[in-house]
């Protein structure tokens, strides 16, 4: 073998090492790409899992929020219904007050035509029989002279006016009266009063006796008054005594004492404002329960 042949058969210097280095570089790059892809897959799976968890939490939150909205809407509907009921009750109370005022004005006007002067209280619920109408002697409860005649006038006027403002009577006698769904008179209290002189214990019985004397005279003159009833089918006339606890003139004089020895007719209408309050209380209880339910639901 000649020199040239030997030289041609020998590999070039460094060719074997360069090929190995190329292969090693390619393998390293592949491993790194595979590793990066693996890391990317892990990150992608982690993100997918986190997204799934967040979605589940959001779904649960949406469900809870929907329940809360449902409860709030239910309470809102209850509020609207209660407001309507309360508004209706207020209208009924206002109607009853206006009806009572018309009644008192009608009685006063008719008594005025009879030559009798009476007063309507500032509150619009009491017809005050002044000393000019019914005056009692000191320490006496009997109706005497003009006082008796004036009570007779009052009886006749009440028998004419009251039926139109009251429920239909129990008797078969037909005359104008209120329907069951209308405001009407519930009670007419004949209230007896004394002045502040004398013994307080005696004044209590004396005031009640004055009211009783007036009641007896009223029904003696107009017995049909006992047939006028309220919604519960009870007689509307009643009596009460207040001693000297409700003076119309607080000054301590003989003139004031004469004014305070009197009879008042207090007209109470058949309307119950507590029913509206019961609606409010029931609604508050429902709202309290709803709030507790909302607090008990986790976010």
């Amino acid at each position: 073998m000649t020199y040239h042949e030997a030289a041609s058969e020998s590999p070039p210097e460094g060719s074997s090492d360069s090929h190995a280095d190329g292969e090693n570089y390619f393998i390293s790059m592949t491993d790194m790409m595979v590793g990066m892809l693996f890391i990317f897959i892990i990150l992608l799976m982690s993100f997918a899992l986190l997204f799934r968890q967040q979605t589940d939490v959001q779904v649960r939150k949406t469900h809870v929020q929907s329940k809360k909205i449902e409860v709030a809407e239910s309470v809102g509907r209850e509020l609207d219904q209660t407001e309507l009921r309360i508004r209706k009750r207020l209208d009924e109370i206002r109607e009853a007050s206006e009806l009572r005022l018309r009644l008192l004005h009608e009685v006063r006007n008719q008594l005025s035509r009879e030559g009798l002067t009476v007063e309507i209280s500032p509150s619009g619920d009491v017809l005050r029989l002044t000393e000019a109408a019914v005056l009692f002697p000191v320490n006496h409860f009997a109706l005497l002279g003009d006082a008796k005649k004036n009570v007779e006038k009052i009886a006749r006027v009440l028998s004419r006016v009251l039926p139109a403002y009251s429920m239909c009577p129990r008797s078969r006698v037909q005359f104008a009266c209120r329907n069951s769904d209308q405001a009407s008179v519930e009670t007419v209290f004949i209230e007896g009063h004394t002045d502040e002189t004398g013994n307080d214990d005696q004044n209590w019985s004396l005031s009640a006796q004055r009211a009783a004397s007036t009641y007896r005279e009223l029904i003696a003159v107009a017995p049909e008054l006992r047939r006028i009833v309220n919604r519960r089918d009870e007689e509307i006339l009643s009596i009460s005594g207040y001693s000297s606890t409700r003076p119309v003139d607080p000054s301590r004089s003989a003139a004031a004492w004469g004014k305070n020895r009197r009879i008042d007719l207090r007209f109470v209408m058949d309307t119950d404002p507590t029913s509206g309050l019961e609606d409010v209380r029931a609604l508050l209880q429902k709202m309290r329960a709803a709030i507790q339910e909302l607090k008990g639901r986790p976010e």
Side-chain angles (χ1 to χ4, degrees):
M1 175 171 24
T2 64
Y3 172 77
H4 293 289
E5 290 174 342
S8 62
E9 291 177 357
S10 300
E13 182 179 359
S15 62
S16 175
D17 292 339
S18 298
H19 181 70
D21 289 343
E23 290 179 352
N24 290 336
Y25 175 77
F26 178 74
I27 293 173
S28 298
M29 289 294 294
T30 302
D31 291 343
M32 184 176 67
M33 292 297 295
V34 170
M36 292 179 64
L37 180 61
F38 182 69
I39 292 173
F40 176 76
I41 292 173
I42 292 176
L43 291 174
L44 184 62
M45 290 178 63
S46 298
F47 175 78
L49 181 61
L50 180 62
F51 179 77
R52 175 65 181 273
Q53 290 175 344
Q54 292 292 333
T55 302
D56 291 343
V57 170
Q58 188 64 34
V59 169
R60 288 196 297 271
K61 282 188 175 181
T62 303
H63 179 70
V64 171
Q65 290 169 352
S66 298
K67 288 295 183 181
K68 290 182 176 181
I69 293 173
E70 182 179 342
V71 171
E73 289 177 345
S74 176
V75 172
R77 288 191 295 270
E78 288 287 343
L79 278 171
D80 292 339
Q81 294 174 4
T82 302
E83 182 183 3
L84 289 176
R85 289 195 294 269
I86 291 175
R87 186 179 301 169
K88 181 181 178 181
R89 293 298 301 143
L90 289 174
D91 290 341
E92 291 173 355
I93 293 171
R94 191 177 298 109
E95 177 189 354
S97 297
E98 293 173 353
L99 181 71
R100 176 173 55 195
L101 195 57
R102 289 201 302 270
L103 165 60
L104 267 63
H105 278 283
E106 186 171 352
V107 173
R108 184 186 65 179
N109 293 341
Q110 290 204 24
L111 288 175
S112 178
R113 289 196 290 269
E114 295 281 344
L116 194 59
T117 301
V118 296
E119 298 175 353
I120 297 175
S121 67
S123 57
D125 59 346
V126 172
L127 193 69
R128 185 153 295 140
L129 309 182
T130 63
E131 59 181 334
V134 179
L135 178 63
F136 291 94
V138 177
N139 293 329
H140 285 80
F141 58 86
L143 289 167
L144 304 173
D146 289 340
K148 187 174 185 296
K149 293 177 182 179
N150 289 338
V151 171
E152 292 173 359
K153 295 178 182 179
I154 294 168
R156 287 191 289 268
V157 169
L158 289 177
S159 66
R160 290 197 301 265
V161 176
L162 274 179
Y165 295 87
S166 306
M167 298 297 295
C168 292
R170 291 177 293 191
S171 68
R172 296 182 182 273
V173 178
Q174 298 297 317
F175 52 82
C177 56
R178 309 291 291 176
N179 296 326
S180 60
D181 59 344
Q182 294 178 305
S184 59
V185 177
E186 200 276 338
T187 305
V188 179
F189 284 106
I190 304 167
E191 299 180 342
H193 300 269
T194 69
D195 58 41
E196 63 181 349
T197 63
N199 182 275
D200 187 60
D201 291 337
Q202 292 178 347
N203 281 342
W204 280 105
S205 60
L206 182 59
S207 63
Q209 288 171 328
R210 286 174 175 170
S213 295
T214 305
Y215 170 81
R216 284 192 290 267
E217 187 64 25
L218 288 172
I219 62 173
V221 175
E224 61 271 19
L225 288 172
R226 297 200 64 180
R227 296 199 298 269
I228 302 176
V229 297
N230 58 26
R231 200 178 302 275
R232 296 186 299 277
D233 202 37
E234 302 166 339
E235 295 183 24
I236 66 171
L237 291 185
S238 184
I239 65 171
S240 58
Y242 291 99
S243 183
S244 60
T245 60
R246 299 187 180 186
V248 292
D249 189 340
S251 62
R252 312 185 70 176
S253 64
W257 295 337
K259 294 177 183 178
N260 294 333
R261 295 193 302 271
R262 71 189 191 280
I263 291 292
D264 285 344
L265 300 181
R266 184 179 301 275
F267 294 78
V268 179
M269 304 305 290
D270 188 7
T271 179
D272 183 12
T274 60
S275 63
L277 296 178
E278 289 297 331
D279 288 341
V280 174
R281 187 174 71 172
L283 176 61
L284 289 176
Q285 291 175 345
K286 285 186 178 182
M287 291 180 66
R288 188 178 296 111
I291 291 172
Q292 290 299 325
E293 183 180 357
L294 293 176
K295 286 182 177 180
R297 292 183 181 277
E299 291 292 337

